[in-house]
């Protein structure tokens, strides 16, 4: 049977090891973030090319990015997200329609609402922006051995899984906040 002194020493050692593990975790996260930042700088020119060749305003680009993530949105949803009036949003969307980057369509749940979504040209443009630099990245990866590629593949899969879990958790937090806001609005009525 362990004495009280032995238990205190063991507890102190466990606390110290947990603190060291936390420090190792923070150090590793910092090192990964530093490497990621170096990679972003190395690929910046290739990834920037599609953006620099665009003839779009920042609000137009924001709308295209939102639509590429959401699929479609009403003018009201876009104006609320971008932070402009509905009239301003209508003008922005009109210009994107004129450039054949978005299309307007009827909302299947409410025919009074017009939904905006990327046109085929808009999807092609956004795919080019998202995948910019892939050729360069493929060239970089081809310099690695099969063993090194296996490590990178496993690490990338782990990070992608964590990113998907984070996105799901964020969506749940947003849904929870919206439910709470709805309950609050209902209580005020």
């Amino acid at each position: 049977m362990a004495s009280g002194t032995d238990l205190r020493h063991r507890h102190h050692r466990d606390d110290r090891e947990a603190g060291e593990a936390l420090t190792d975790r923070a150090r590793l996260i910092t090192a990964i973030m530093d490497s990621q930042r170096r990679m972003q700088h190395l690929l910046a020119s290739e990834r920037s090319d599609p953006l620099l060749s665009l003839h779009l305003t920042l609000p137009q680009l924001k709308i295209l990015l939102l639509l590429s993530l959401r699929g479609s949105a009403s003018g009201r949803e876009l104006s609320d997200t971008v932070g402009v009036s509905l009239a301003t949003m209508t003008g922005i969307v009109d210009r994107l329609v004129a450039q054949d980057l978005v299309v307007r369509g009827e909302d299947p749940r409410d025919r009074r609402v017009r939904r905006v979504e990327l046109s085929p040209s808009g999807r092609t443009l956004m795919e080019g922006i998202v995948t910019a630099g892939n050729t360069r990245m493929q060239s970089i990866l081809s310099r690695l051995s099969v063993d090194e590629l296996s490590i990178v593949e496993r690490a990338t899969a782990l990070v992608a899984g964590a990113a998907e879990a984070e996105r799901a958790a964020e969506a749940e937090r947003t849904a929870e906040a919206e439910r709470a806001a709805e309950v609050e609005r209902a209580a005020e009525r």
Side-chain angles (χ1 to χ4, degrees):
M1 179 176 228
S3 70
T5 304
D6 290 340
L7 288 175
R8 281 193 300 275
H9 285 294
R10 187 177 315 146
H11 183 67
H12 178 69
R13 186 180 64 236
D14 291 346
D15 287 347
R16 188 179 67 244
E17 288 173 359
E20 288 170 1
L22 186 58
T23 302
D24 286 346
R25 182 181 185 83
R27 182 188 55 74
L28 288 168
I29 289 171
T30 299
I32 292 166
M33 296 299 295
D34 288 345
S35 294
Q36 179 67 27
R37 191 171 13 267
R38 282 184 26 232
M39 283 299 297
Q40 288 169 344
H41 284 282
L42 290 168
L43 296 173
S45 63
E46 286 88 358
R47 294 200 182 261
S48 300
D49 283 347
L51 293 173
L52 296 174
S53 65
L54 292 177
H55 300 289
L56 297 171
T57 64
L58 189 54
Q60 289 171 332
L61 183 57
K62 286 180 180 179
I63 291 165
L64 294 175
L65 287 168
L66 285 168
L67 294 174
S68 73
L69 294 171
R70 294 183 180 174
S72 73
S74 70
R76 168 66 60 203
E77 292 166 344
L78 291 171
S79 68
D80 289 347
T81 303
V82 176
V84 299
S85 70
L86 188 54
T88 299
M89 182 55 60
T90 299
I92 294 169
V93 170
D94 286 344
R95 288 185 287 284
L96 290 170
V97 168
Q99 294 179 59
D100 190 34
L101 295 174
V102 301
V103 293
R104 287 186 174 102
E106 200 173 85
D107 187 322
R109 293 173 304 225
D110 186 346
R111 292 179 16 197
R112 297 168 297 173
V113 176
R114 304 287 287 166
R115 307 274 315 160
V116 180
E117 63 184 84
L118 293 175
S119 68
S121 298
R123 279 192 295 280
T124 299
L125 173 72
M126 295 312 297
E127 182 66 18
I129 290 171
V130 170
T131 61
N134 279 2
T135 302
R136 175 70 182 255
M137 189 61 178
Q138 188 168 8
S139 176
I140 292 167
L141 289 172
S142 70
R143 295 176 160 275
L144 300 177
S145 70
V146 171
D147 288 343
E148 291 167 330
L149 286 169
S150 293
I151 293 167
V152 172
E153 186 276 331
R154 177 72 179 132
T156 304
L158 289 169
V159 172
E164 290 166 348
E166 180 64 22
R167 179 184 280 175
E170 186 176 318
E172 181 57 35
R173 287 189 298 269
T174 300
E176 215 172 275
E178 289 171 357
R179 286 190 296 272
E182 184 60 35
V183 167
E184 190 175 306
R185 282 191 297 273
E188 290 173 356
R189 293 183 205 143

